[in-house]
Amino acid sequence: MALGTMSWGGETDADEAASQLVAFVDAGGTLVDTADIYAEGECERILGALLADLVPRDDVVLATKAVARRTDGPFGGGASRGALLSALEGSLRRLGVDHIDLWQLHAWDDTVPLAETLSALDHAITSGKVRYAGVSNYAGWQLATAASTSTSLVSAQAEYSLVERGVEREVVPAAVHHGIGLLPWAPLGRGVLTGKYRTGTPADSRGASATYAGYVEQHRTDRAARIVEAVSTAADGLGTSPLVVALAWVRDQPGVVAPVVGARDTGQLTGSLAAEEIVLPRAIKAALDDVSAIQFGYPERWPR
């Protein structure tokens, strides 16, 4: 598992973030993922302070992202060389480190030539300020094009869960073909796969918040409800939680390196880390595959 920190500086304060990071590292976790726009940079500041005072920098694989717009002006966002290198300097400053282990392009930018974008990644690596590069939210053809052009890319983040399997059409095959490791975000279907919304919307859930209600609502469909029931049935049979079943399923999909799990508090995080202790029986995995199956067409499955 990878530790996602999107809630840090917002729903999760610095003290709770510290508790999460310690619990994650103590459990054997290493990859910690953030981004320059999370909480307008506060997330990186919190993480940087914790790496300076609480958890040794060398104990984690530090990942952050750039491209999303941070400020006005020509270099305040986007994937141009100037914008990316400006974003990198900002991340290094907020994190208080001299290098980033995995620097990721948060999104594709069709206003900038890909060669220019990739040249910025190569420069960052050559300078020693970045060790490895990755992408996030790329379509299959975008990932394949970038991976064919650059030897620097090692990872791709994409939304991937039992309720969101669209990446299996083109993104997953492209990643596997090019040896790119997949880092699924929202592996719990934006919280829906935990089963918390089976009978309504808990008052303390993201689904009830003004900020995240729309984000969660996208996966509150009839199809998702059927999947959640199947996951809950499997969890009952295995004596575990729906959360653990859902994470174990995505963890073991082809090409997946580490699902990125975020949590508002340490209790939620501990529940997610319990997925490392379970391997889904073949029959249960097959049943989950079936109930969540997506439609493939031409040319994705050709020849038949």
Side-chain angles (χ1 to χ4, degrees):
M1 302 294 169
L3 177 61
T5 62
M6 187 175 70
S7 67
W8 291 14
E11 295 176 293
T12 303
D13 63 23
D15 289 339
E16 183 57 45
S19 178
Q20 287 186 22
L21 184 60
V22 169
F24 179 71
V25 172
D26 285 350
T30 55
L31 177 56
V32 182
D33 180 69
T34 187
D36 58 357
I37 61 163
Y38 292 168
E40 299 181 344
E42 184 62 19
C43 183
E44 285 186 330
R45 294 187 190 95
I46 291 173
L47 178 55
L50 297 179
L51 293 178
D53 300 331
L54 192 63
V55 173
R57 167 68 179 89
D58 291 343
D59 286 357
V60 303
V61 177
L62 180 59
T64 192
K65 312 179 193 74
V67 172
R69 182 152 291 279
R70 309 172 312 281
T71 63
D72 294 332
F75 302 128
S80 70
R81 182 183 178 91
L84 286 174
L85 295 182
S86 175
L88 175 60
E89 293 300 330
S91 287
L92 290 170
R93 182 175 62 255
R94 287 186 294 273
L95 289 164
V97 297
D98 61 4
H99 74 276
I100 291 164
D101 298 310
L102 177 62
W103 192 40
Q104 303 156 101
L105 302 174
H106 213 155
W108 177 270
D109 186 349
D110 58 11
T111 68
V112 178
L114 180 61
E116 178 180 345
T117 297
L118 296 179
S119 74
L121 296 185
D122 291 340
H123 175 78
I125 292 173
T126 302
S127 71
K129 296 178 179 179
V130 168
R131 298 294 190 257
Y132 299 94
V135 298
S136 181
N137 303 310
Y138 270 36
W141 72 267
Q142 294 167 345
L143 175 59
T145 302
S148 298
T149 307
S150 172
T151 59
S152 300
L153 299 181
V154 300
S155 68
Q157 281 204 34
E159 183 172 6
Y160 192 13
S161 71
L162 277 161
V163 296
E164 180 51 87
R165 295 178 62 181
V167 291
E168 292 178 6
R169 294 187 177 95
E170 294 189 355
V171 175
V172 172
V176 171
H177 178 77
H178 288 283
I180 303 293
L182 285 168
L183 301 173
W185 60 264
L188 294 173
R190 309 185 184 193
V192 170
L193 288 166
T194 64
K196 68 174 67 174
Y197 300 107
R198 291 171 74 187
T199 58
T201 304
D204 62 346
S205 69
R206 284 184 170 181
S209 73
T211 302
Y212 290 104
Y215 173 78
V216 175
E217 192 66 27
Q218 292 184 43
H219 291 323
R220 296 184 70 179
T221 64
D222 291 342
R223 172 180 175 272
R226 292 192 294 272
I227 296 170
V228 171
E229 290 306 314
V231 170
S232 298
T233 299
D236 289 343
L238 295 171
T240 187
S241 68
L243 177 153
V244 165
V245 170
L247 281 178
W249 180 88
V250 74
R251 178 201 63 202
D252 295 337
Q253 291 301 106
V256 170
V257 174
V260 181
V261 294
R264 284 180 297 168
D265 55 54
T266 306
Q268 287 185 346
L269 176 62
T270 302
S272 294
L273 295 178
E276 292 288 11
E277 301 171 5
I278 191 171
V279 175
L280 296 180
R282 185 176 302 177
I284 287 180
K285 183 181 184 305
L288 295 176
D289 288 345
D290 183 62
V291 73
S292 65
I294 58 172
Q295 184 175 357
F296 288 85
Y298 175 86
E300 298 149 358
R301 292 287 175 87
W302 179 267
R304 293 184 182 277

